[in-house]
Amino acid sequence: MNITKIDSYHVQLPLVAPFKTSYGFLSHKAMDILVVTDELGNQGYGELVAFEQPDYTEETLETARLILANHLIPLLVQSQITHPDDVTRLFSVIRGNWMAKSSLETAIWDLYAKRHKKSLAELFSSQTDKLSVGVSIGIQKSVQDLIEVVSRYVAEGYTRIKLKIAPNQDVDFVKAVRSHFPEMLLMVDANSAYDLDSLTIFKELDTYQLSMIEQPFGYSDFLEHAELQKNIETPICLDENIRSVEDVMLGHRLGSLGAVNLKISRVGGVTQAQKIVEYCKNNGLGLWCGGMFESGVGRALNLAFASQEGFDFPGDISASTRYFKEDIINETFELENGRLSVPRETGLGVTLNKEMLEKYGHHHVMYVK
Ligand SMILES: O=C(O)CCC(=O)c1ccccc1C(=O)O
Ligand SMILES: [Mg+2]
């Protein structure tokens, strides 16, 4: 394929409700939408999901833009690409910078699918048209507030609830939610807020039939996670730690994890993510699709990818309205009986809404042939 142009829209969407985690507070989500055009006029969309602060992982929107402009785009346009796997190989000379790589690699996947007049769901061997999904709930001011928020999402149909926790905002919250919803698929995510000194907290959390505990310890730690896993029954799920299939293998061998939160963007793209899917399937590890408050572009990709065999647990892929009042695509993802529809049109199966892009974004040209 011949790439003739790369555009980028710097978008900022207000969140319907602010989101509090153990490390920070989010009132709007910024993202860049890459549009890669080929010689036939096809356009592939990719989302750069990095945050503005380097507080989830090391990358930020600004570092990713630099890596794209100075390294990844020059590499890509100098090379002959016939399949998206070529992009991953090409980018392997550049260390890290997974979200920057993923934004371009996923745009090439969309472009490739469109050139072949296939949906991404089809290319990913999608097994289902409807996907059960969950919702991730930020830290609330009080137990009462949390119960109200959870009740609203349960009424909307979500089948799995994830609670963000932080020191001193953990056991009481979980205990209350569990007693209101005894059968609910429930889990917690600490975003690296604890260490082994908090073992007693986790032994207590271990008594609430949680599906898993996500990223309790350091964002690059494997040893303390393994020590914790020896002391609790609830599977540990790693998120921040996992950048490659090698990280999953390491965590598995050391006993640091029982499940993986897979975000395509955090592992450098679809081709890398697929290796993790295969490893988890072959080794009996839990696997589900995480989220980065994506716009509809990233959401469509997550839905297509997570509809393949191997994903065994509802992901953080919620309805459009859970995140934003208005989105930058023309389609909306609506919850029906706790499920979202997997797009079936060509490529990602979503189209950019020019009016919304203008309202919420700024246009930049990154490359012209
Ligand atoms: O619903 C979503 O898109 C994901 C929500 C979520 O938990 C999250 C959101 C932003 C950054 C990190 C995380 C996380 O999974 O840790
Ligand atoms: Mg997480």
Side-chain angles (χ1 to χ4, degrees), residues 178-319:
R178 179 47 91 209
S179 76
H180 274 76
F181 302 98
E183 304 293 332
M184 170 63 67
L185 283 181
L186 183 65
M187 60 178 292
V188 294
D189 184 359
N191 288 107
S192 293
Y194 299 83
D195 57 31
L196 259 184
D197 292 344
S198 304
L199 185 58
T200 52
I201 301 284
F202 289 96
K203 284 192 167 164
E204 201 165 342
L205 289 174
D206 204 22
T207 65
Y208 293 103
Q209 300 86 47
L210 299 176
S211 304
M212 56 190 89
I213 296 175
E214 183 174 337
Q215 199 67 41
F217 296 167
Y219 75 98
S220 60
D221 166 79
F222 284 97
L223 297 178
E224 288 205 343
H225 280 113
E227 195 55 37
L228 174 62
Q229 190 68 89
K230 277 189 220 147
N231 283 277
I232 60 172
E233 297 284 326
T234 312
I236 292 175
C237 171
L238 293 184
D239 172 357
E240 280 88 330
N241 281 52
I242 305 300
R243 316 300 177 92
S244 64
V245 71
E246 287 80 11
D247 289 333
V248 179
M249 289 160 71
L250 181 63
H252 182 221
R253 297 260 182 100
L254 291 176
S256 325
L257 57 80
V260 174
N261 168 338
L262 181 51
K263 298 181 184 174
I264 293 167
S265 57
R266 204 196 49 233
V267 303
V270 164
T271 301
Q272 284 293 331
Q274 194 61 47
K275 290 189 192 167
I276 294 178
V277 174
E278 301 310 325
Y279 186 86
C280 288
K281 267 201 297 199
N282 294 337
N283 291 278
L285 296 176
L287 176 69
W288 56 282
C289 182
M292 288 289 286
F293 284 132
E294 287 91 348
S295 77
V297 170
R299 198 167 316 289
L301 177 71
N302 288 342
L303 282 165
F305 195 72
S307 68
Q308 67 175 302
E309 197 193 315
F311 284 85
D312 60 4
F313 189 72
D316 286 343
I317 320 174
S318 312

Side-chain angles (χ1 to χ4, degrees), residues 296-336:
V297 170
R299 198 167 316 289
L301 177 71
N302 288 342
L303 282 165
F305 195 72
S307 68
Q308 67 175 302
E309 197 193 315
F311 284 85
D312 60 4
F313 189 72
D316 286 343
I317 320 174
S318 312
S320 310
T321 53
R322 179 260 174 270
Y323 303 97
F324 316 114
K325 196 154 73 68
E326 295 180 311
D327 201 342
I328 46 94
I329 57 166
N330 292 307
E331 301 75 9
T332 47
F333 293 110
E334 282 169 39
L335 207 61
E336 259 179 84

Side-chain angles (χ1 to χ4, degrees), residues 45-61:
Y45 308 146
E47 181 162 342
L48 173 58
V49 304
F51 292 101
E52 290 166 287
Q53 304 292 328
D55 50 8
Y56 164 69
T57 60
E58 306 87 336
E59 285 184 274
T60 69
L61 269 179

